[in-house]
């Protein structure tokens, strides 16, 4: 990304790389005074028609004075943005604010050769986001009637456009606020653009392997051979300055010498040569790169900046890149047949898309895919994710008709907010299964509040996945197992499972594992049991789990399976086979496959005990998506626990799909302006951040309708007695300092004080224990008894602010029963939060206790979430305890920490960013 000229700074959010409608990219930034020559060059390239449509008449090139005006930026009055490609300015858009108003005139012009690629729309989005920040609410524009392209830009952006015809021109006016329609239009354009940009990489029509060598067992050589052996559906050009041919194919000294167009270049040269090779690819017009070479940011030091330079070159020339430090890309579509990896395995075709930050994990998956009957549609080893990331791949797989299930191995997030938004949408169409490494709390920062102490990086990932519907697994075995089930079987319509085995022990283990996975193993109906007893061995058990005993034949298996599948009280079938001497496993596998073919919407899975891999009879014949013609494969597991866990995850995902998506409700009694003024005032005096005094924290809470228990700050024992007399006994007295976290641990809180003497003694004891650190005292009335909870806000450098809910009081950090949600918080999020703890039953009348006012608690969570979303400076908020009683939810004590907020991306602006 280009550096902003230091003498003319502007917010970093104005500068970004974006994908165009055809999959190419451009760089967007604010105009600079030194752009005059590039602007003049753009005007000289424009056709007479383009100039006439923009200026309504033929115009000469702009003068030096006009160029000076064009390149001047005043955030409040006029802003001009440019789009760059290959070092040239290819488009300009600007707004000029009308004097003392909330309207601005907008206009733009795009290089003739790039018109129709969506540049005008994306510049309009960026300008609108900048204008909203300075109070501009409406754009106006004037265009000739025949300038249909410009006129369509405004409506295509999702704005509600008003058009009037005056003096031979069309006057256009529209509000620029972010609406559901404009946001939906923006996200749809983003989705198509980023999907197209990835499509360029995974479905090329021609490939050059730069660094293809003649020596076997080298990466460049093996990758080139894999492309040939896989029968890539297009030409493959080896590039090697030291060889005339590679594996009998003519080689070229450089990519510039290849006589034909090259869509994608696979780069395997040494790291020191990569930048030069990429520059050559740019001159050649290559549209996509896969950089296999390692030796960049993953080893740190100066190599980090080298990787940044690599990305800058790639995006400056409108390319996309996978890697560096990756193992390549696979696309098994018959129209492509690209195996651009150096893996020693051939990926079987199928309907699973897989993204991996680990090349070793990718090789393992490809090695086991055939064994497990797991076919791959597309595999992308993203490596360092310097450009193409998991977010981009989600956009691609959402549209890809060849992909039904998405697998991801993640080591880091670059833009988790975008990942969350995309995954919520994609998960409703195609399940996403993810392994996220780094589950431990190593490296977690020291916490200054209960809320921060209770949160961990892994909690945050769990929150993101739970809200987005991503199925999280902990191990590679679980990833493969869950993928088998989701790729070949339907999601269960419920959680009721019938277990059929020929051994009592494995059946019992399976039943225990199912219940541990949140599934039910109900007793079968009397009718089903009677039907089973009519043909199974007298020694068989038919209640569920069903034990057909060791003598059961394949015919008995098939009849039993068909019988239980016909029971409407069953949602899934789990078949276990222990190989005895009298029955062949292959015969049972064929029986299972025959019964599963008629299972309808009920998933069937098997455990051939101790056997790894999929019996041939269970592989199925499905040529297309689940539900199309063909017989579904039946997944098989070596042990019942793994099968039950996979089925439990599938049932959880089915429940997530059935639930209401929720919405962010409008809350009354919210005064954001007052809250903003209060925070700005404190940050002015404490630019590096501060803890708010308790009374100020309570005022800030009040701006969002969060009621804190009444409190009076006092400086002396006599003042405390006077406050207690006014409030009414009994009272609580606490240290007034906002920096003390564990008050009860240091003698900073006294409860149930019922007399002046008790208050006086408490004040004296507190002062003796704390000295000047005490900060005076807070006197509060005792609150109605109830369940002690904690509601808070914590901040993650990548994920931003999160809302935390848990059990509160002095044991909060010991019990660590808590849950997190990423902003914005919906009504469904709040509903699930209060029910997500192990101890949540305490809120619902556990063991005869009165039920707490859960509705009031959910309202409190929503209001705290609104506060955190509106005020990014609030990096820690600790409402502990929150007493939830039958009559309400009362915040007894609140701590709020402020800090300078991290830069936020402009709303409604699409940009390329990693996941």
């Amino acid at each position: 990304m280009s550096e902003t000229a230091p003498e003319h700074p502007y917010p970093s959010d104005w500068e970004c790389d974006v994908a165009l409608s055809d999959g190419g990219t451009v760089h967007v930034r604010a105009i600079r005074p030194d752009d005059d020559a590039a602007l003049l060059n753009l005007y000289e390239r424009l056709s007479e028609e383009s100039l006439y449509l923009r200026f309504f008449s033929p115009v000469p090139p702009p003068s030096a004075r006009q160029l000076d005006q064009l390149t001047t930026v005043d955030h409040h009055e006029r802003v001009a943005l440019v789009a760059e490609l290959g070092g040239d300015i290819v488009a300009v858009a600007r707004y000029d604010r009308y004097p003392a108003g909330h309207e601005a005139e907008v206009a733009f012009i795009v290089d003739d050769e790039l018109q129709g690629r969506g540049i005008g729309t994306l510049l309009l989005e960026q300008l609108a986001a900048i204008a909203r920040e300075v109070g501009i609410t409406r754009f106006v524009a004037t265009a000739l009637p025949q300038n249909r392209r410009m006129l369509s830009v405004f409506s295509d952006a999702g704005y509600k456009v008003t058009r009037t015809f005056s003096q031979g021109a069309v006057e256009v006016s529209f509000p620029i606020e972010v609406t559901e329609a404009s946001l939906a239009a923006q996200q749809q354009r983003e989705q198509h653009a980023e999907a197209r940009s990835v499509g360029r990489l995974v479905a090329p029509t021609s490939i050059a392997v730069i660094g293809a060598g003649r020596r076997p067992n080298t990466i460049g050589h093996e990758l080139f051979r894999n492309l040939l052996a896989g029968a890539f559906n297009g030409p493959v050009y080896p590039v090697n300055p030291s060889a005339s041919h590679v594996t009998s194919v003519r080689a070229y000294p450089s990519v510039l010498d290849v006589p034909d167009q090259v869509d994608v270049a696979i780069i395997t040269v040494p790291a020191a040569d990569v930048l030069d090779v990429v520059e050559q690819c740019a001159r050649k017009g290559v549209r996509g790169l896969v950089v296999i070479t390692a030796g960049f940011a993953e080893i740190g030091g100066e190599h980090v900046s080298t990787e940044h330079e690599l990305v800058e070159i790639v995006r400056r020339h409108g390319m996309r890149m996978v890697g560096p430090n990756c193992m390549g890309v696979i696309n098994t579509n018959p129209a492509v047949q690209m195996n651009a990896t150096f893996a020693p395995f051939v990926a079987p075709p199928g309907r699973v898309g897989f993204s991996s930050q680990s090349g070793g994990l990718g090789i393992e998956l490809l090695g086991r895919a055939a064994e497990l009957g797991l076919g791959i549609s597309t595999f992308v080893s993203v490596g360092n994710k310097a450009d193409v990331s998991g977010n981009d791949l989600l956009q691609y797989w959402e549209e890809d008709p060849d992909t039904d299930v998405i697998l991801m191995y993640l080591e880091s997030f670059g833009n988790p907010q975008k990942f969350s938004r995309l995954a919520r949408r994609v998960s409703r169409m195609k399940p996403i299964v993810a392994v996220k490494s780094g589950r431990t709390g190593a490296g977690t920062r020291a916490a200054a509040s209960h809320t921060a102490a209770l949160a961990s990086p892994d909690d945050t990932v769990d929150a993101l996945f739970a809200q987005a519907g991503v199925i999280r697994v902990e191990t590679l075995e679980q990833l493969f197992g869950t993928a088998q089930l989701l790729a070949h079987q339907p999601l269960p319509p419920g959680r009721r499972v019938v277990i059929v085995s020929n051994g009592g022990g494995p059946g019992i283990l399976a039943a225990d594992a199912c219940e541990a996975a949140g599934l039910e193993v109900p007793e079968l109906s009397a009718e089903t049991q009677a039907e089973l007893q009519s043909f199974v061995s007298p020694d068989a058990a038919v209640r569920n789990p069903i034990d057909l005993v060791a003598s059961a034949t394949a015919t008995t298996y098939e009849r039993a399976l068909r019988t239980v599948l016909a029971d409407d009280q069953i949602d899934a079938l789990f078949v276990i086979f222990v190989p005895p001497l009298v029955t062949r496993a292959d015969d049972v596998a064929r029986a299972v496959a025959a019964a599963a073919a008629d299972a309808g919407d009920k998933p069937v899975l098997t455990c051939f005990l101790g056997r790894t891999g999929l019996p041939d009879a269970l592989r199925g014949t499905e040529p297309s998506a689940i539900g199309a013609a063909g017989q579904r494969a039946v997944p098989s597991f070596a042990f019942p626990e793994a099968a039950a866990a996979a089925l439990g995850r599938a049932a959880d995902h089915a429940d997530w799909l059935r639930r209401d998506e929720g919405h962010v409700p409008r809350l009354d009694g919210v005064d954001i302006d007052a809250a903003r003024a209060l925070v700005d005032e404190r940050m002015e005096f404490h630019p590096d951040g501060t803890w708010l005094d308790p009374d100020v924290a309570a005022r800030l809470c009040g701006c969002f309708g969060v009621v804190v228990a009444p409190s009076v700050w006092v400086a002396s024992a006599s003042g405390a007695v006077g406050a207690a007399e006014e409030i009414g006994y009994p009272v609580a007295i606490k240290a007034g300092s906002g920096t003390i976290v564990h008050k009860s641990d240091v003698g900073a809180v006294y409860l149930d004080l019922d007399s002046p003497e008790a208050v006086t003694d408490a004040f004296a004891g507190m002062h003796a224990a704390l000295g000047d650190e005490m900060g005076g005292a807070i006197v509060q009335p005792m609150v109605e008894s109830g369940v002690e909870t904690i509601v808070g806000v914590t901040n993650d450098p990548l994920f931003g602010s999160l809302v935390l809910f848990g059990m509160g009081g002095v044991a909060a950090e010991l019990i660590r029963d808590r849950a997190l949600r990423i902003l914005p918080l919906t009504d469904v999020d709040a509903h699930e939060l209060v029910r997500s703890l192990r101890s949540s039953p305490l809120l619902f009348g556990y063991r005869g206790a009165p039920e707490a006012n859960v509705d009031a608690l959910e309202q409190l969570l929503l209001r705290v979430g609104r506060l955190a979303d509106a005020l990014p400076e609030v990096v820690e908020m600790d409402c502990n305890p929150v007493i939830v009683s039958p009559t309400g939810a009362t915040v007894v004590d609140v701590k709020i920490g402020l800090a300078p907020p991290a830069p936020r991306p402009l709303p409604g602006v699409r940009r390329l960013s990693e996941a």
Side-chain angles (χ1 to χ4, degrees):
M1 183 174 290
S2 302
E3 292 289 337
T4 300
E7 65 272 24
H8 299 282
Y10 52 84
S12 60
D13 288 336
W14 292 15
E15 189 164 10
C16 57
D17 297 295
V18 292
L20 304 178
S21 59
D22 65 347
T25 66
V26 294
H27 183 71
V28 175
R29 60 169 175 81
I31 205 164
R32 298 195 299 250
D34 59 356
D35 285 329
D36 49 359
L39 278 176
L40 189 60
N41 186 269
L42 169 62
Y43 277 84
E44 290 173 346
R45 294 198 309 270
L46 292 170
S47 66
E48 290 184 5
E49 180 185 13
S50 292
L51 288 170
Y52 179 78
L53 291 176
R54 168 64 181 88
F55 299 106
F56 300 5
S57 64
V59 294
S63 65
R65 182 166 177 264
Q66 290 172 320
L67 285 171
D68 184 60
Q69 291 175 336
L70 286 171
T71 56
T72 300
V73 171
D74 179 341
H75 192 178
H76 288 269
E77 304 301 329
R78 67 185 64 86
V79 167
L81 299 176
V82 299
E84 290 181 309
L85 181 62
D88 294 326
I89 290 178
V90 296
V92 183
R94 66 179 291 123
Y95 72 70
D96 290 272
R97 188 174 195 159
Y98 290 148
H102 297 286
E103 293 186 341
E105 183 177 12
V106 63
F108 48 85
I109 195 161
V110 180
D111 194 319
D112 289 66
E113 292 188 3
L114 280 87
Q115 292 178 12
R117 297 178 64 184
I119 295 180
T121 304
L122 68 89
L123 289 176
L124 177 64
E125 290 173 354
Q126 182 89 331
L127 276 179
I130 294 170
R132 286 191 296 267
E133 289 193 331
V134 294
I136 295 173
T137 60
R138 180 177 291 271
F139 276 169
V140 296
T142 304
L144 292 172
Q146 61 266 42
N147 196 352
R148 290 184 295 274
R149 236 174 208 165
M150 177 176 176
L151 292 171
S152 67
V153 164
F154 305 123
S155 54
D156 289 348
Y159 297 117
K160 189 175 182 179
V161 177
T162 301
R163 301 186 186 189
T164 59
F165 190 76
S166 175
Q167 298 181 347
V170 179
E171 302 285 345
V172 176
S173 174
F174 53 93
I176 60 173
E177 65 178 340
V178 177
T179 65
E180 289 187 11
S182 67
L183 193 59
Q186 178 262 320
Q187 291 178 356
Q188 185 178 45
R189 288 190 301 274
E190 173 195 66
Q191 197 272 321
H192 289 311
E194 293 187 7
R196 290 284 298 275
S197 72
V198 173
R200 287 179 162 197
L201 283 161
V202 301
T205 58
S206 59
I207 298 174
V209 181
I210 305 176
R214 300 183 61 180
R215 185 159 51 90
N217 300 319
T218 59
I219 289 176
H221 180 89
E222 298 303 324
L223 193 149
F224 182 70
R225 287 183 62 90
N226 280 348
L227 281 166
L228 298 182
F232 170 66
N233 205 351
V236 183
Y237 305 101
V239 175
N240 187 328
S242 304
S244 60
H245 63 276
V246 176
T247 63
S248 301
V249 178
R250 177 188 174 184
Y252 298 89
S254 79
V255 71
L256 295 171
D257 297 308
V258 176
D260 303 312
Q261 173 63 37
V262 174
D263 271 357
V264 167
I266 316 292
I267 298 175
T268 67
V269 300
D273 299 328
V274 167
L275 296 185
D276 288 340
V277 165
V278 172
E279 290 279 13
Q280 293 174 9
C281 289
R283 295 201 299 275
K284 178 66 178 175
V286 174
R287 300 195 300 177
L289 306 173
V290 179
V291 181
I292 307 294
T293 307
F296 291 90
E298 77 277 5
I299 59 177
E302 62 184 15
H303 305 284
V304 175
S305 60
T306 303
E307 182 169 296
H308 291 165
E309 186 178 355
L310 170 62
V311 175
E312 182 181 2
I313 296 171
V314 168
R315 292 187 173 172
R316 185 196 313 146
H317 294 283
M319 298 184 286
R320 298 302 308 271
M321 175 182 68
V322 172
N325 184 34
C326 71
M327 65 168 288
V329 178
I330 292 174
N331 186 342
T332 64
N333 186 302
V336 182
Q337 296 188 161
M338 175 178 66
N339 179 8
T341 73
F342 53 88
F345 309 106
V346 178
R351 308 197 59 80
V352 176
F354 184 62
S355 164
S356 176
Q357 277 186 259
S358 165
L361 174 58
I363 291 175
E364 171 67 14
L365 173 71
L366 298 177
R368 296 194 62 189
E371 176 185 330
L372 298 172
L374 195 62
I376 302 299
S377 61
T378 318
F379 166 76
V380 181
S381 168
V382 293
N384 291 1
K385 296 192 308 177
D387 180 30
V388 168
S389 69
N391 281 350
D392 297 300
L393 294 170
L394 285 179
Q395 303 273 42
Y396 172 77
W397 281 320
E398 180 180 5
E399 286 192 351
D400 182 26
D402 295 332
T403 299
D404 291 334
V405 179
I406 298 168
L407 306 184
M408 307 187 83
Y409 171 74
L410 301 168
E411 295 176 353
S412 63
F413 291 94
N415 188 338
Q417 292 94 339
K418 183 174 180 179
F419 178 89
S420 177
R421 171 170 60 83
L422 296 179
R424 284 183 194 231
R425 188 179 73 224
V426 176
S427 289
R428 294 202 167 270
M429 297 180 291
K430 302 178 181 184
I432 302 171
V433 190
V435 174
K436 170 64 176 70
S437 60
R439 297 186 64 95
T440 66
T444 302
R445 64 182 173 87
S449 72
H450 289 76
T451 305
L454 287 172
S456 75
D458 200 55
D459 293 331
T460 306
V461 175
D462 278 338
L464 184 155
F465 286 174
Q467 286 174 275
V470 176
I471 303 167
R472 183 172 190 178
V473 295
E474 298 182 18
T475 66
L476 303 185
E477 180 185 9
Q478 293 172 0
L479 181 77
F480 299 143
T482 306
Q484 282 189 80
L485 181 59
L486 295 173
H488 301 305
Q489 294 291 313
L491 292 171
R495 309 187 75 88
R496 300 165 300 181
V497 183
V498 62
I499 300 167
V500 180
S501 75
N502 63 343
I508 295 171
L509 287 174
D512 289 343
C514 284
E515 294 206 354
L519 301 168
E520 303 170 22
V521 186
E523 183 172 347
L524 295 173
S525 66
E527 293 79 6
T528 299
Q529 290 190 48
E531 174 65 20
L532 290 167
Q533 287 171 336
S534 70
F535 62 85
V536 300
S537 167
D539 298 326
V542 296
R543 297 175 64 184
N544 194 19
I546 297 169
D547 178 8
L548 299 177
V549 303
S551 61
T553 65
T555 301
T556 303
Y557 254 103
E558 182 175 350
R559 188 173 177 184
L561 301 184
R562 292 186 180 276
T563 298
V564 296
L565 283 170
D567 191 332
D568 292 338
Q569 303 303 307
I570 293 301
D571 301 310
L573 172 59
F574 183 1
V575 186
I576 302 174
F577 179 71
V578 183
L581 294 176
V582 294
T583 307
R584 295 175 64 246
D586 289 346
D587 293 337
V588 173
R590 281 188 285 271
V592 173
D598 300 321
D601 65 348
K602 299 178 181 181
V604 179
L605 67 164
T606 67
C607 168
F608 282 71
L609 198 66
R611 174 171 175 170
T612 300
L614 192 65
D616 289 340
L618 298 182
R619 290 185 180 275
T621 59
E622 63 236 289
S624 187
I626 292 172
Q631 180 179 321
R632 298 188 307 231
V634 179
S636 181
F637 299 80
F639 299 101
E641 294 84 359
L647 184 59
R649 295 186 195 98
D652 290 341
H653 187 63
D655 285 345
W656 183 85
L657 289 173
R658 286 188 287 266
R659 79 169 198 179
D660 184 0
E661 291 187 53
H663 68 283
V664 179
R666 297 182 65 88
L667 303 171
D668 55 11
V670 173
D671 190 344
I672 292 180
D673 291 339
R676 168 52 56 199
L678 193 155
V679 169
D680 288 346
E681 178 189 7
R682 290 304 184 276
M683 291 301 295
E684 182 179 355
F685 289 100
H686 303 280
D688 295 330
T690 185
W691 287 96
L692 298 182
D693 290 333
D695 59 326
V696 179
R699 283 168 47 204
L700 185 61
C701 288
C703 294
F704 292 87
V706 175
V707 179
V708 181
S711 60
V712 178
W713 182 88
V714 297
S716 63
S718 60
V721 171
E725 297 283 353
E726 180 180 345
I727 290 172
Y729 294 105
V731 297
I733 180 170
K734 307 171 185 178
S737 171
T739 62
I740 301 174
V741 178
H742 302 282
K743 290 184 172 65
S744 59
D745 291 353
V746 294
V749 59
Y750 289 78
L751 305 176
D752 285 315
L753 306 176
D754 57 4
S755 67
E757 293 77 17
V759 171
T760 300
D761 291 344
F763 192 97
M766 200 181 305
H767 190 270
L770 302 174
D772 292 339
E773 185 186 355
M774 176 178 166
I778 298 293
V779 182
Q780 291 180 308
M782 291 299 297
V783 176
E784 178 185 7
S785 62
V787 181
E788 287 196 21
T789 66
I790 179 172
V791 173
V793 173
T794 187
N795 189 273
D796 183 275
L798 284 176
F799 291 77
S801 295
L802 303 99
V803 173
L804 178 143
F805 171 68
M807 284 298 144
V810 296
E813 293 168 31
L814 175 64
I815 299 173
R816 300 188 69 81
D817 190 10
R818 77 288 191 213
L820 289 142
R821 289 295 183 270
I822 293 171
L823 298 177
L825 202 68
T826 68
D827 53 350
V828 170
D829 291 330
H831 179 87
E832 291 184 344
L833 267 176
V834 301
R835 291 162 176 80
S836 60
L837 308 183
R838 298 186 303 275
S839 47
S840 287
L842 294 174
L843 297 166
F844 296 92
Y846 180 70
R847 300 188 69 174
E851 289 193 25
N853 190 334
V854 173
D855 290 342
L857 179 57
E858 290 179 14
Q859 268 291 307
L860 174 62
L861 286 164
L862 289 169
R863 291 180 181 278
V864 168
R866 184 75 179 92
L867 182 154
D869 203 22
L871 303 173
E873 295 89 347
V874 175
V875 293
E876 287 191 31
M877 181 175 180
D878 188 13
C879 300
N880 181 41
V882 174
I883 307 296
V884 191
S885 68
T887 60
T890 304
V891 178
V892 176
D893 193 11
V894 60
K895 283 173 52 61
I896 294 179
L898 304 181
R904 278 188 167 185
L906 292 170
V909 175
R910 50 196 165 113
R911 62 191 67 215
L912 299 174
S913 52
E914 66 175 0

